[in-house]
Structure formats: C-alpha cells, structure tokens
C-alpha cells in the first residue's frame, strides 16, 4: 500500500512536470518521459514537504493526508490549465547498437542498485545513526506533535540537529499521513526514488552535452559508486542533497551553453536549488557559491538584461521553498551549532598549520585507491574523475567555454569549501572528518564527475572559448 | 532531421540549441583525434563501472558481515528488557547541549543509541544516563509521562530499587533508581 501511494505521488510529480514543462508540441515521447522521470523525485518530495510544513505552520496542526494530496492535485491541475493540448506522442529514432547496449547497461545497473538497496534496508530498516537521530526523529515529532514540535525544539538534544531543515522529515510525515501509519516504507520509498533519481538526473544532464552512449556509460559509473547505495540506506539526506545540487548546477550550466541539447527551465532550476537548502544546511553555501559564479559568467557571456531576467526566474522558482525555509529558520530552528562555534574560533584555527595538514590527510585518505575503506566506499570514482578532469583540461589547453568554466569553478569551489569547513570546525577534527567527510564528498561528487565527463568530451562547435590562465 | 528539444520552448535561451549527433561530429575536421580521445574516455568509464561493481558487491557483503549496530547490541537489548515495564518509554537526551563537543562524544554511543532505537518503536521517551539516572519525557503528550513514571516505579519495586522521581518540566522528569540491595 505504501509503495502504491509512493508511486502515485511520484507519478503526480512527473505529470506536473510533463504537463508544465516537458510535453511540448513536437516533443519526443521518450525525451518527455526521460526528463519527467529524472526531475520527478525532486519536484514531488520538495513540493510535498513544503505544502506539509506550511500547512502545519499556517493551520496549527498537522495537515491530514487529504489536505496534502488535495493541495498537490490542485497545484497540478492549475499548472496544467494553460496547456490545453498535450504534445503528440512520437517515437524517437532507433539508437545504434553500441548506444543501445549502453542504454541497456544503464537500466541494468538501476535494477541492480535497486536490488542492493532492498537487501540493505531489509537488514537494517531504520538506517544509520544520523537517519535515526536526525531524520526519522524529526519526522516522528512532526507527525505526532505537530506545531507543538516548534516549542519543544529547545528541549531537545544537540545531537538531533534541530536546526536542520525539513525536506525529508516533512516528506516522511506527509507520507505517513497519506498511508495512515508510521512505517519505514515511507523512508525507503523516498530514499529509493532519490537514489534512482540521481542516476536518471546525471544521465539526463549529460545527454545535454555528450553523446547518448557516453551519457549512459558515465551515469552508470556514477550510479554504481558504492557510497551512494550505502549512504542512501544509512543516512538519508546526503544523497537527496546530491540530487538537488546536481539538478541545480546542471540547469545553470545548460543555460550557459548555447550548444546544450537540453535546457531545463530556470523556474525548475530555481526550485531545485532552493530544495537543496531545504534538505540540509550544507546546501546553502554551495547554492550561494553557484549563483555567485553563474550570474557574472552569464552577464559576461550574455547581457546584463539576460542576467537580471535569469535571476528573477530563479527567484520565482525558488520562492515556495524559500518561503518554507524562512518560516522554519525564523520561527522554528535554533542557531546552527557549527556556525556558532566557528565564529568563536575561526581566526585562531586559520593560523594553525597542523589543522590544514590534518584536513589534507583526511581528503587524501578518502581519495586514495590504496586505502581499503576508500576503495569499498568509492571504487575508483575519485582517481578516475581526476583523470577525466586532467584529460579534459589538457585536451582543451585550458580554454574553456562559459558553461565549462562555470562547472570547473563550482567543482573547485565545492572542494575548497568543504576543506575549509574542516579547518574551521569547532568540533574535534578527527571525529568530524571520520564521521562526515565521506558524506560531504558524496554530495559534490556528481557535480565534479559531471564536469569531468563534459570537459573530456569532444568540443562542440560554438562560441569562442574563454581563456583561463 | 533532429527534432527541437521540448525544453527550449519553455524558456527563451540565449540561442537555439544545436542537435549534434555523434556521427555528425565524427565527420567534422579532427574527427579521428576526437574519436581516439573519445574511446579512451569510454574505456576509462567502462573500467570505472567494472571496478565499482566489484567494490559495490564487497561493500554490500561488508554490510551483511557487520555485527548488529550499537543500538541492537546485547547491552542495549538488556536495557530494553530492563525497561520492558515501560513499553511506552524511550528517548534520551544527552542532557547538555551546550557542552556538545565534549559530551556528545562520550554520551552519543553510550546513551543515545538505545533511545534512538526505542524512540522509533514507542512514543514516550526514556533514557538512562551514565550516572544511573533516567530521563523520561513525552513531548507530544505530557499526560503519558505520569504513566511512564509509574511504570518505572513498578519496575524499580520489582527490582527492589529505590526510585527518585523529579519533574523538571511539564515534559521531562528526572528519575534515579538506586542500586540493587
């Protein structure tokens, strides 16, 4: 029953996307389905959590399943109203044999990953420590205490990170409302959809820049990185955050490339970027960095008017999620303990060389293929991503187009940003690196991998590249 | 003739996208070199897929070989058994969020785990501190706290232990069970 309702919700999200965005006249049926499937998890759980939370905040009690489902249907109905004619369904051209084999490989690894997911959650349905201490916990309180939860937050332990936003807890609570009971199946379904969504999204975005064969191979590789399966079942939020960040950065980079074969609308990109912040606090610095890089590059490669128009569209798309986020942060959440601690110690930590070296060693341990723990977590994802990055930069002689420059800077900024988090952390450095570095790297691996694959692809004809040296 | 991409019509981009098939690219100048570099990259990706499959299989096997996680370990199950009379009592607080960094490390693995497991099963919350004190709370329904306290007293009486119950707030009570005589 839970899975049936889950599929129904996902289908609604996919339908909403197809009707408003992807099913245009002349669209290929396959492309429409592909795009809708890739973006559906983010739209479904992002929108559902916002509706649930704002409903709870506005009415003073947990909105029932009828309210959530009704709101969802209402929005979907309103969104489809202007489009009276759906696109005619057409069949796309037949792919070549190698491309067909790569496509089969991709969907095969999706199936394989789903089997692995089932085996792991069957053994440990509640997830790992953070899943229990933070996400499941917050979902229980939302579902049981409703608005009273807000008043209880100061009484709860710091280990529960009550300042973490509510995309996952509110989605789970809304799901429970709909199925009428608290069941781990809700968490499992949501996590599974983000896990598959990450693979579908990476394939979707890559197909905008590289050949379908390359996109299938690269997406298969990324999806098979063991950490994604393990952390999807153990920790919940990081894979969802990785999905939203990938969607956001992919949407922005496609906008910067005149040759890109896919162009997700900025409204949708804005929604995904805001949903990244609504998923986890780490989303905020990454999204701010992306926008700080995107807007000047857009200005430089286009015009100030285009840049301003993009900014408005992004804000419009982000607005429902940002509204929920602002309400949560100003009315519910305590201050972020990590940031509060950093403020007190930042200047002294910055001057401590040992802290820098310690963090460097932590990163190298994660990336090293010779460490058995690293190999089991990543396969060879980091060394091979680095190799692809090097091939790409070498083959382009450091002459990058706007979207490549944007992606490369975002990748570099993400790694440097996470490096600084561990230099400045007020927690014990060893403990902090041991317990979270792999998850933070997991959040940004899709972006870096996507960049490496795009850079290593044959250059498409188009505008003259930007010289960076 | 490539079809226009549906997504381009929803938002006006800087220019119309170009549908460039792989074979078209191969026929352009420098195609041979590009194809060679393409095959190297594809080989790297295939190698990555093969290695990731092996690593993923080993990682899942490791998950299955791993002993029960801490909140399912015998110690915590014993604690759960001890609190069997409080079937609606779980949760735990580390009791001191201001000393997060130092206390969390010492209490996270000794106290919170049992509570986490129980919290998800039961609606009232119960925890035992290292000092032997118990913290009982029911944030959602304070009335249930009284019942939980009574259940703890019943358990303590059965175990021949003294119990001190002190309400710290409408939602939280501090309890202490004396040593077994």
């Amino acid at each position: 029953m839970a899975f049936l309702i889950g599929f129904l919700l996902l289908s609604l999200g996919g339908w909403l996307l197809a009707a408003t965005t992807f099913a245009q006249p002349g669209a290929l049926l396959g492309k429409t389905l592909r795009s809708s499937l890739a973006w559906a998890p983010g739209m479904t759980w992002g929108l559902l959590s916002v509706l649930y939370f704002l409903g709870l905040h506005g009415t003073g009690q947990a909105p029932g399943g009828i309210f959530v489902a009704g709101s969802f249907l209402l929005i979907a109905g309103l969104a489809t109203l202007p489009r009276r004619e759906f696109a005619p369904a057409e069949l796309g051209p037949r792919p070549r044999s190698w491309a067909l084999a790569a496509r089969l490989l991709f969907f095969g690894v999706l199936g394989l990953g789903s089997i692995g997911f089932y085996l792991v959650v069957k053994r440990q349905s509640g997830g790992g420590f953070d899943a229990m201490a933070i996400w499941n916990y917050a979902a229980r309180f939302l579902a049981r205490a409703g608005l009273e939860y807000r008043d209880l937050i100061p009484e709860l332990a710091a280990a529960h990170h009550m300042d973490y936003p509510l995309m996952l807890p509110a989605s789970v609570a809304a799901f429970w409302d709909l199925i009428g009971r608290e069941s781990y199946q809700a968490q499992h379904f949501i996590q599974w959809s983000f896990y598959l969504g990450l693979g579908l999204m990476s394939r979707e975005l890559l197909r905008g820049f590289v050949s379908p064969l390359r996109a299938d191979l690269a997406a298969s590789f990324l999806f098979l990185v063991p950490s994604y399966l393990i952390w999807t079942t153990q920790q919940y939020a990081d894979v969802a955050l990785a999905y939203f960040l990938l969607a956001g950065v992919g949407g922005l980079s496609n906008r910067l490339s005149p040759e890109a074969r896919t162009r997700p609308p900025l409204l949708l990109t804005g929604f995904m970027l805001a949903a990244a912040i609504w998923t986890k606090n780490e989303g905020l610095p990454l999204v701010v960095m992306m926008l700080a890089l995107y807007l000047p590059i857009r200005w430089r490669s286009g015009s100030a008017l285009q840049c301003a128009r993009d900014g408005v569209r992004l804000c419009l798309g982000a607005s429902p999620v940002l509204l929920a986020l602002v309400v949560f942060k100003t009315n519910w959440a305590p201050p972020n303990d990590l940031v509060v601690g950093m403020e007190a110690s930042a200047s002294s930590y910055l001057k401590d060389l040992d802290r820098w070296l310690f963090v460097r060693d932590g990163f190298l341990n994660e990336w090293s293929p010779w460490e058995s723990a690293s190999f089991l977590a990543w396969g060879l994802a980091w060394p091979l991503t680095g190799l692809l990055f090097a091939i790409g930069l070498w083959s382009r002689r450091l002459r990058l187009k706007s979207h490549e420059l944007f992606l490369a800077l975002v990748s570099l900024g993400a790694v440097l940003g996470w490096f600084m988090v561990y230099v400045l952390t007020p927690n014990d450095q060893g403990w902090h690196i041991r317990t979270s570095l792999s998850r933070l790297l997991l959040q940004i691996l899709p972006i870096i991998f996507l960049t490496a694959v795009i850079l290593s692809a044959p250059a498409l004809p188009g505008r003259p590249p930007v010289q960076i040296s | 003739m490539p079809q226009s991409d549906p997504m381009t019509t929803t938002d006006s981009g800087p220019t119309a996208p170009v549908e460039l098939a792989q074979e078209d690219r191969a026929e352009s100048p420098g195609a041979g070199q590009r194809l060679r570099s393409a095959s190297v990259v594809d080989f790297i990706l295939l190698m990555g897929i093969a290695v990731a499959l092996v690593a993923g299989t080993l990682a899942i096997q490791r998950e299955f070989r791993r002993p029960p996680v801490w909140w399912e370990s015998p110690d915590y199950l014993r604690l759960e058994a001890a609190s069997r009379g409080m079937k609606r009592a779980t949760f735990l607080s580390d009791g001191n969020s201001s000393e997060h960094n130092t206390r969390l490390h010492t209490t996270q693995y000794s106290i919170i785990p049992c509570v986490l497991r129980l919290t998800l099963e039961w609606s009232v919350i119960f925890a035992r501190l290292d000092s032997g004190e118990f913290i009982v709370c029911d944030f959602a329904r304070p009335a249930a706290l009284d019942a939980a306290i009574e259940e703890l007293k019943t358990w303590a009486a059965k175990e021949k232990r003294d119990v001190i119950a002190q309400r710290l707030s409408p939602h939280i009570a501090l309890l202490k069970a004396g040593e077994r005589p």
Side-chain angles (χ1 to χ4, degrees), chain B residues 103-152:
Chain B
R103 280 188 63 89
L104 183 62
H105 299 162
T106 56
T107 61
Q108 195 172 35
Y109 300 106
S110 60
I111 297 174
I112 289 179
C114 68
V115 173
L116 291 175
R117 199 184 97 65
L118 302 176
T119 302
L120 299 176
E121 305 299 328
W122 301 326
S123 58
V124 184
I125 297 175
F126 159 72
R128 189 186 68 170
L129 299 180
D130 286 340
S131 61
E133 294 165 328
F134 292 83
I135 285 180
V136 181
C137 12
D138 183 342
F139 293 120
R141 291 159 306 153
L145 190 56
D146 294 329
I149 292 171
E150 287 306 311
E151 287 191 44
L152 180 63

Side-chain angles (χ1 to χ4, degrees), chain A residues 129 137 140 214 261 427, chain B residues 5 42 66 70 91 101 120:
Chain A
F129 180 81
Y137 188 84
R140 297 269 164 162
R214 175 75 56 83
R261 278 167 282 170
N427 296 320
Chain B
D5 192 282
D42 290 337
R66 182 176 286 177
W70 15 266
F91 169 144
N101 296 331
L120 299 176

Side-chain angles (χ1 to χ4, degrees), chain A residues 20-28 31-32 35 83 90 96 105 109 112 116 119-120 123-124 126-129 132-133 136-137 140-141 144-145 148 152 155-161 182 184 204 209-214 217-218 220-221 224-226 229-230 234 255 257-267 298 306 309 313 337 373 375-380 384 387-388 391 426-428 431 435 449 453 456 458-461 463, chain B residues 3-23 25 27-28 33-35 37-60 62-72 90-102 104-105 107-109 112-113 115-125 137-142 168-172:
Chain A
T20 57
T21 307
F22 299 120
Q24 299 291 327
L28 297 176
K31 271 189 176 181
T32 303
S35 302
R83 309 215 174 268
E90 295 178 32
R96 294 188 165 202
L105 172 72
V109 300
L112 210 57
L119 292 174
V120 177
R123 184 169 186 272
Q124 191 183 344
F129 180 81
M132 303 278 272
N136 290 334
Y137 188 84
R140 297 269 164 162
F141 271 82
R144 290 176 182 173
E148 204 181 328
L152 301 171
E155 298 191 53
L156 301 178
H160 299 300
H161 292 291
E182 292 178 8
Y184 281 131
E204 169 73 3
F209 293 106
V210 302
S211 68
L213 185 146
R214 175 75 56 83
L217 289 180
S220 301
F221 178 20
L224 281 173
V225 170
L229 174 62
I230 300 304
Q234 298 294 304
R255 180 65 40 176
S257 170
E259 307 98 19
R261 278 167 282 170
T262 58
R263 202 176 298 287
L266 281 172
L267 287 172
R298 180 77 165 118
Q306 281 178 334
R309 202 162 50 196
R313 284 178 177 155
D337 51 353
F375 177 78
L376 287 182
W378 303 106
L380 290 179
L384 292 185
L387 184 60
L388 291 177
I391 289 174
N427 296 320
D428 176 81
W431 172 81
T435 55
F449 181 73
V453 172
S456 62
L460 296 174
R463 292 184 176 188
Chain B
Q3 307 228 13
S4 66
D5 192 282
M7 284 168 271
T8 58
T9 53
T10 52
D11 245 348
S12 57
T15 58
V18 178
E19 182 79 26
L20 191 64
Q22 178 76 0
E23 51 271 29
R25 254 182 272 165
E27 288 163 8
S28 59
Q33 188 183 351
R34 282 181 200 152
L35 280 179
S37 108
S39 59
V40 169
V41 172
D42 290 337
F43 175 75
I44 290 172
L45 291 173
L46 279 170
M47 189 172 75
I49 289 169
V51 172
L53 272 171
V54 173
T57 307
L58 293 174
I60 291 177
R62 187 183 58 170
E63 286 298 310
F64 277 85
R65 281 201 304 270
R66 182 176 286 177
V69 285
W70 15 266
W71 57 82
E72 290 174 353
T90 32
F91 169 144
L92 171 60
S93 162
D94 64 12
N96 191 341
S97 56
S98 63
E99 294 177 18
H100 176 71
N101 296 331
T102 51
L104 183 62
H105 299 162
T107 61
Q108 195 172 35
Y109 300 106
I112 289 179
V115 173
L116 291 175
R117 199 184 97 65
L118 302 176
T119 302
L120 299 176
E121 305 299 328
W122 301 326
S123 58
V124 184
I125 297 175
C137 12
D138 183 342
F139 293 120
R141 291 159 306 153
L168 301 179
S169 79
H171 295 290
I172 300 178

Side-chain angles (χ1 to χ4, degrees), chain A residues 7-19:
Chain A
F7 277 118
L8 182 66
L9 288 170
L10 265 185
S11 305
L12 273 174
W15 170 53
L16 175 60
L17 283 164

Side-chain angles (χ1 to χ4, degrees), chain A residues 248-260:
Chain A
V249 83
L252 294 178
S253 58
N254 281 30
R255 180 65 40 176
L256 287 171
S257 170
E259 307 98 19

